[in-house]
Amino acid sequence: MAKVIVITSGKGGVGKTTTSAAVATALALRGHRTVVIDFDVGLRNLDLVMGCERRVVYDFVNVVQQEANLKQALIKDKKLDNLFILPASQTRDKDALTIDGVERVLNELKETFDYIVCDSPAGIEHGAHMALYFAEEAIVVTNPEVSSVRDSDRIIGILQSKSRIAEQGGTVKEHLLLTRYNPERVARGEMLSVTDVEEILAVPLLGVIPESEAVLKASNQGVPVVHDSDSDAGQAYEDAVARYLGEDRPHRFLERQKKGFLQRVFGG
Amino acid sequence: MSLMDLFRKEEPSTASVAKERLRVLVAHDRLRHNGPDYLPQLQQEILAVIRKYVHIDDQDVNVQLEHQGNTSVLELNVTLPEEAQD
């Protein structure tokens, strides 16, 4: 049975699209048939991060409005045969998505795929609501920063009251993914720690992605960061997905790297 | 900690300030968004009643609803102005 996972955060710029691309790619690398959908209608970006922007012909809105079928709109990943991208429309507005239309598309996708990853737009408006409404699980992407934590708490509240599962009396299973984590700054008391954020949000921790140069490098090239298996961020995403699938992996990258003697004496 | 840190003034870390602010804010947001719809009006009416007797500002009344197991506790905090306390 296919599982619908929403990648959400409330606040923009915290790493939802990077995470959607990385999670979907990691799931596919582990052999699961995966599709990742861009719900950010009007501000399409997932195609860029996945490196398939030049192959977009039809999009999610075309399929929802029945102007194209799924087969025409789904883009096969350039590296993995079991990974597909359903891009957002660049020209329409978010109201082009309807509950009935989205449900029909998701039901059709469920026949073929194991995992349906929904990349939510920022905010709590129509587009975000469409992305989270059918979610069975949610990965809440949060930066260790006050406005991001606050918005995550708000989106968690919305998941537990406005999603279909919530309307039917159930709960959406939530996972916290802390991104752009800088252990050095945490050690200096300049950044909220993993424990701080966990305490405030009270959502089980799926993973911590360190602030990493590899993330920008990956999006520059349009290659999801998990393909960069030497990088800290790539490994951290790989760990997070392994944990999501039930593997027991210790959290890494939470401690600052050991400093040399001179650095310790003079700081920096 | 580096040698230079020893000469810096001890202040609470900005991270702990952030955590404390968030703790208060998130509790407040949750109440406003997930609490019953009548809470804001309840707060306004309580304000109106108290204002018949003493002058207080909007932020001097704080209404909190907490759930503990099967019971809900409605906590009402009114800060009276100095001159009204004697």
Side-chain angles (χ1 to χ4, degrees):
Chain A
M1 186 61 197
K3 187 132 261 173
V4 182
I5 312 167
V6 65
I7 314 291
T8 185
S9 71
K11 190 177 182 294
V14 298
K16 279 184 299 295
T17 301
T18 300
T19 299
S20 300
V23 166
T25 305
L27 284 167
L29 278 169
R30 293 176 146 257
H32 300 286
R33 284 165 302 175
T34 306
V35 58
V36 54
I37 310 177
D38 191 349
F39 273 79
D40 204 347
V41 176
L43 291 171
R44 154 169 108 202
N45 276 323
L46 180 69
D47 54 332
L48 270 176
V49 177
M50 295 293 297
C52 64
E53 70 276 10
R54 289 161 61 102
R55 289 191 288 144
V56 177
V57 181
Y58 293 106
D59 58 56
F60 187 27
V61 171
N62 293 138
V63 184
V64 165
Q65 308 263 326
Q66 297 182 293
E67 298 153 357
N69 62 40
L70 261 178
K71 213 175 248 167
Q72 293 171 297
L74 282 175
I75 303 172
K76 192 161 115 188
D77 182 66
K78 53 187 177 186
K79 293 194 180 189
L80 303 169
D81 288 342
N82 55 347
L83 176 59
F84 287 82
I85 299 109
L86 187 51
S89 166
Q90 183 70 310
T91 49
R92 311 285 273 270
D93 67 53
K94 290 189 168 63
D95 297 329
L97 298 179
T98 59
I99 291 269
D100 293 345
V102 172
E103 182 174 29
R104 190 178 46 77
V105 176
L106 290 180
N107 283 341
E108 204 179 325
L109 289 170
K110 281 181 183 176
E111 291 168 15
T112 338
F113 291 98
D114 303 320
Y115 289 98
I116 302 171
V117 178
C118 304
D119 182 17
S120 171
I124 51 174
E125 308 301 323
H126 184 74
H129 185 230
M130 288 297 114
L132 67 77
Y133 187 69
F134 295 101
E136 293 158 75
E137 303 209 14
I139 295 179
V140 181
V141 183
T142 308
N143 289 169
E145 179 272 325
V146 281
S147 55
S148 173
V149 175
R150 182 197 201 178
D151 289 358
S152 290
D153 189 69
R154 181 84 175 91
I155 211 80
I156 290 163
I158 292 172
L159 275 164
Q160 301 308 3
S161 61
K162 303 244 168 79
S163 61
R164 184 151 78 172
I165 287 188
E167 284 176 2
Q168 292 167 346
T171 43
V172 176
K173 191 172 177 198
E174 294 158 342
H175 308 270
L176 173 64
L177 189 76
L178 204 54
T179 57
R180 302 193 138 179
Y181 196 70
N182 186 330
E184 299 265 331
R185 305 199 70 185
V186 172
R188 290 202 297 265
E190 295 172 3
M191 183 181 266
L192 291 163
S193 70
V194 190
T195 347
D196 293 341
V197 180
E198 273 184 288
E199 263 180 59
I200 289 163
L201 293 179
V203 170
L205 182 70
L206 180 66
V208 179
I209 314 297
E211 171 96 80
S212 167
E213 290 174 9
V215 171
L216 182 58
K217 261 192 228 163
S219 81
N220 282 345
Q221 295 171 297
V223 178
V225 72
V226 281
H227 283 303
D228 185 357
S229 49
D230 292 332
S231 70
D232 47 0
Q235 291 174 15
Y237 272 117
E238 219 283 312
D239 280 359
V241 169
R243 265 181 228 117
Y244 175 82
L245 294 171
E247 257 181 59
D248 187 19
R249 289 208 187 172
H251 290 278
R252 297 191 276 169
F253 315 110
L254 303 186
E255 303 296 327
R256 60 178 164 173
Q257 283 160 342
K258 295 239 169 12
K259 284 183 175 181
F261 172 73
L262 285 177
Q263 270 183 308
R264 260 186 287 155
V265 172
F266 295 105
Chain B
M1 194 168 72
S2 77
L3 198 58
M4 294 306 176
D5 290 335
L6 292 176
F7 302 108
R8 289 191 193 128
K9 213 170 64 182
E10 267 305 309
E11 278 174 17
S13 74
T14 56
S16 58
V17 174
K19 188 181 182 185
E20 202 38 51
R21 289 175 63 213
L22 270 171
R23 213 198 288 277
V24 173
L25 190 63
V26 161
H28 187 258
D29 283 352
R30 281 182 192 164
L31 179 72
R32 201 155 45 103
H33 295 297
N34 314 329
D37 298 341
Y38 60 74
L39 273 184
Q41 206 189 338
L42 177 77
Q43 184 162 354
Q44 284 311 310
E45 289 181 19
I46 288 169
L47 260 170
V49 170
I50 296 172
R51 276 196 187 132
K52 282 186 186 172
Y53 305 96
V54 283
H55 181 76
I56 52 168
D57 281 335
D58 279 8
Q59 59 265 44
D60 292 337
V61 171
N62 183 17
V63 182
Q64 294 271 18
L65 189 67
E66 278 181 27
H67 303 282
Q68 297 164 345
N70 286 332
T71 51
S72 299
V73 179
L74 183 71
E75 190 184 309
L76 185 71
N77 258 307
V78 185
T79 316
L80 293 176
E82 292 283 331
E83 67 269 31
Q85 281 173 355
D86 48 20

